[in-house]
Each structure stands twice: as structure tokens, then as C-alpha cells.
Amino acid sequence: LYLKYHVKVHDYFDLIILYIGSRIYYNLINNNLEDTMKTIKKKKKDNLTKDDLIYLMEVEEPKELEAIFNKAYEVKKREIGQRVFYRGLIEFGNYCVKNCYYCGIRKDNIDVERYHMSKEEIMSSVRWIYANGYGSVALQSGERRDPQYIDFVEDIIREIKKIGDIGITISLGEQTEETYQRWFDAGAHRYLLRIESSTDRIYKSIHPNDELHDFETRVNCLKLLKKIGYQVGTGVMIGLPDQTEEDLVNDILFYKENDIDMIGMGPYIPHNDTPMGQQELNIPSKQKRVELGLKMIALTRLYLKDVNIAATTALQGLDPLGREKGLKAGANILMPITTKDEHRAKYQLYNDKPCIDDNADKCKGCLEGRINSIGEEIAYGAWGDSPHFSKK
Ligand code: SAM
Ligand code: SF4
């Protein structure tokens, strides 16, 4: 009817142009999709090259992205199964000697109410984690290197081991070899120390230029941890100022070169009371930042295959379904926050951190439902060590 009564002669011309345009666009997408499929379907023995990774990192078309995520999920299923492993996360203190430009609990942020959980508070959280079958605990805090703190952590690790068969990941920053060794001997067996960015230029731009924030020292810490026998985890922030797709691909190559066992990475989210919180974002759209985070997970899974990869809280910070999407893009680890309710809001690394008004009991049921809804199950009671490490 529209054509019969309303279309004028020049409108036919417009319609033809529109049709030709849409055909060209359709072919372009499908050719791209074909190229993307060819790249991700490489055989196991011909690993992806750096150029392949850059090509895939630049993909933006929804159909192509879906193909990448699906392929990564297939690899995750093959290497690990349809299982998710938990680490009950206890953020036991926010005192920090460092001043990373991006972090809400940096030393110079005087607006933070500082806390340090007592041994009894920590052990009560650990008992909850164990009783609820979480299998592993993850201890995290601001960075401290004073003898009191080092003794305290050692004691906590020994106490946790007495509770029962529970895996221990720690993420307590840069320490001396002796300290790492003491904590390992006490019973910690996984250590997470993010490199933040493997590109020296970016690392320098997001940290003060002094001895406390030295890139080489951080890389060396990863080497020490490996030498001691930890399962070593690292990771980066995604969407940092001036970070390119190639920088992110270099991060994935860095994981491989350093024989990393576990990856914990997530979007960078600004915190208002930090120097970086005042800067313009590289990628303003939340959706695009989530997408980039998911691409990093998927490409890391496709490239490294048998490592543990966490779907981090920061992903959920940008998208309420971020963690589920992370699992569907190839992640296999979740770190539900089990920090005591009264301290959660004080461990705020970035704006709008999720779950600060929740409690561990409330989160447990909700999370289980979300995980089951995507066809995955929680490996209750399992440590969930990195298969990559177990093969060594
Ligand atoms: N202090 C230890 C360290 O730095 O390794 C462990 C705790 S630190 C808070 C854990 C991680 O939080 C850092 O490695 C960093 O990647 C992440 N983080 C801090 N500020 C962030 C922000 N604004 N956005 C996203 N992640 C952030
Ligand atoms: Fe401290 Fe870690 Fe935050 Fe840096 S990222 S300021 S070391 S808590």
C-alpha cells in the first residue's frame, strides 16, 4: 500500500540505493564472520598468532563476538568441564603503604575509614566458607610489609589449615622472598599478583614513579612466587587510559611467557577520590568496556586453554550479569565476597562496587541460581586448582 500510494519516482531510487547498501553491509558482516570463524577454528597444534589475537581483539560485530565467546566456552568445557570453582573472598584490611593512582584504598586517600579484621573475625568468615562447601578461601588486603602484619598472615594461614581441607589463595602484594616462603610453608599454595599492565609505559603512567611502584620488582615477584612453588596468578586492568588492543594482546602473551597458572583480570573502574578517577575514560560506554573484558577472557582461554580464569567482581560492577557473561566467555572461577558486612563498604577500590549491601548468606543462594541458569554447576568442596599447574 505504501508503495502504491506514497512512493514518488525519486523514492524508488532511494529504495534501490538502500537495498544495495544493505546487501554490501550484509556481505561485509558475513565475510568478516567467515574470517573470524577461520581464525578461531585453528587446530590445537597451530596456536593463534599475535596477529590473530589482534584481529580478534578488534572484532565488534555481535555475531562475530558471539562466535568468539562460544568457541572459548567450548575450550573451557573441554579443559575444565561445566563447573565453576569458588574462592570465598575475605578482604581483611584496607591499610596500604602504596599509592596506585587508580585504587580507592591508596594510602593518600584520607576519606577512607581504615580497618583491619581481627583474627576471630577472619576465622569466623573462614568457618562460614568451609561450612558452605566453598572449597577455597582467598585472602586479600592493602599492601603492608611490617613484621606484625607478616606474622599475623602466617598465623591466619596456619589456623585456616586447622579448620579442614580448604584451599588457600592469597593476594597480598609485593613481599620479600622470605615472606612469600613463610606464607607458603604455612599452607598458602596460590598467589594472585596482578601485573596491572604488562606494558611498561602504561604501568608507569598509572603508578607513582618510585621504588615502591616499580614494574621490574613486580615482574620479579611473579618469578619468586613460581620458584617457591605457588600456583601463580596474575592479571591486568582492562580499559586503562591510552591502552590499545595491541597492549591487551601483549598482556595475554605475557601470561604465556611467564607460564602463569591463574588469571584474574577485569575492567578498570574509576574511583572519584583517586588521581585517575578525574581522568576521561578511554572507552566511555559501559557496554563496550564489558565487551572488552569478555573478549580478554575469551582470547585468554583460546590462547592459554588450561588455566584458571576468574570472572571478577569488576565485571559485575559494570553489568549486573557481567559474571555470568564472563563464565560463558570462558572463565571458570568466581570469588564471592565473604568479607564481614560491616567492612564491605570500606574496601571500595572503585565507584559503585557491587555486593556492599549484601551478606554472604544472601549471595550464596542468588549466585547458585544464576550459575545453574547458564547450565553450569558449582564444584562444592573442591579446591579447583589450575589444571595448567597440575600438568607440570
Ligand atoms: N594490594 C594488593 C595488590 O595490589 O596486589 C592486593 C589488593 S588490590 C586492591 C587488588 C587488585 O584490585 C589490584 O591488583 C587492582 O588490579 C584492582 N583494582 C584496584 N583499583 C581498581 C580499580 N579502580 N578498578 C579496577 N580494579 C582495581
Ligand atoms: Fe594498595 Fe593494592 Fe590498592 Fe595499590 S592496588 S593502592 S597496592 S591495595
Side-chain angles (χ1 to χ4, degrees), residues 247-266:
D247 292 328
L248 289 170
V249 166
N250 284 335
D251 293 335
I252 299 178
L253 302 179
F254 175 91
Y255 304 154
K256 180 101 167 180
E257 276 156 24
N258 288 276
D259 193 23
I260 295 300
D261 305 302
M262 331 178 292
I263 315 289
M265 57 189 171

Side-chain angles (χ1 to χ4, degrees), residues 96 102-105 140-143 171-173 192-194 196 218 237 266-271 314 347 349-350:
C96 187
Y102 44 84
C103 179
I105 60 170
Q140 194 179 85
S141 80
E143 195 165 309
S171 177
L172 308 172
L192 188 57
L193 182 75
R194 288 187 180 183
E196 315 298 359
R218 204 148 177 102
M237 283 179 289
Y268 158 65
I269 306 178
H271 185 295
Y347 198 86
L349 311 178
Y350 43 80

Side-chain angles (χ1 to χ4, degrees), residues 198-315:
S198 67
T199 306
D200 200 30
R201 160 184 62 85
I202 299 181
Y203 192 90
K204 289 203 167 89
S205 72
I206 61 174
H207 295 102
N209 183 15
D210 61 25
E211 263 182 23
L212 257 188
H213 304 81
D214 179 54
F215 180 74
E216 294 303 326
T217 309
R218 204 148 177 102
V219 174
N220 198 44
C221 281
L222 290 173
K223 296 201 167 110
L224 290 177
L225 291 163
K226 184 169 151 63
K227 181 175 138 201
I228 290 168
Y230 281 97
Q231 292 177 45
V232 181
T234 194
V236 296
M237 283 179 289
I238 303 157
L240 289 166
D242 299 328
Q243 190 179 44
T244 63
E245 270 100 353
E246 185 171 358
D247 292 328
L248 289 170
V249 166
N250 284 335
D251 293 335
I252 299 178
L253 302 179
F254 175 91
Y255 304 154
K256 180 101 167 180
E257 276 156 24
N258 288 276
D259 193 23
I260 295 300
D261 305 302
M262 331 178 292
I263 315 289
M265 57 189 171
Y268 158 65
I269 306 178
H271 185 295
N272 287 342
D273 303 327
T274 61
M276 267 170 67
Q278 315 303 322
Q279 260 173 273
E280 288 272 302
L281 275 174
N282 224 9
I283 311 164
S285 147
K286 268 194 188 180
Q287 192 208 333
K288 288 283 167 208
R289 285 155 68 206
V290 172
E291 224 167 74
L292 195 59
L294 297 177
K295 268 193 276 187
M296 273 298 275
I297 291 179
L299 298 187
T300 302
R301 174 63 70 203
L302 288 175
Y303 196 62
L304 299 185
K305 302 190 173 74
D306 57 1
V307 292
N308 276 347
I309 305 179
T312 54
T313 318
L315 258 184

Side-chain angles (χ1 to χ4, degrees), residues 106-155:
R106 63 199 298 273
K107 184 180 170 209
D108 285 356
N109 185 3
I110 51 167
D111 292 328
V112 176
E113 190 191 330
R114 302 285 167 175
Y115 74 96
H116 184 85
M117 279 165 70
S118 68
K119 179 171 168 182
E120 190 32 54
E121 277 180 306
I122 298 175
M123 295 318 291
S124 132
S125 292
V126 175
R127 279 191 290 273
W128 185 94
I129 288 166
Y130 187 59
N132 284 276
Y134 275 22
S136 279
V137 59
L139 297 176
Q140 194 179 85
S141 80
E143 195 165 309
R144 283 178 55 183
R145 300 171 186 175
D146 52 287
Q148 249 171 317
Y149 172 84
I150 294 168
D151 292 347
F152 178 85
V153 171
E154 185 179 15
D155 182 39

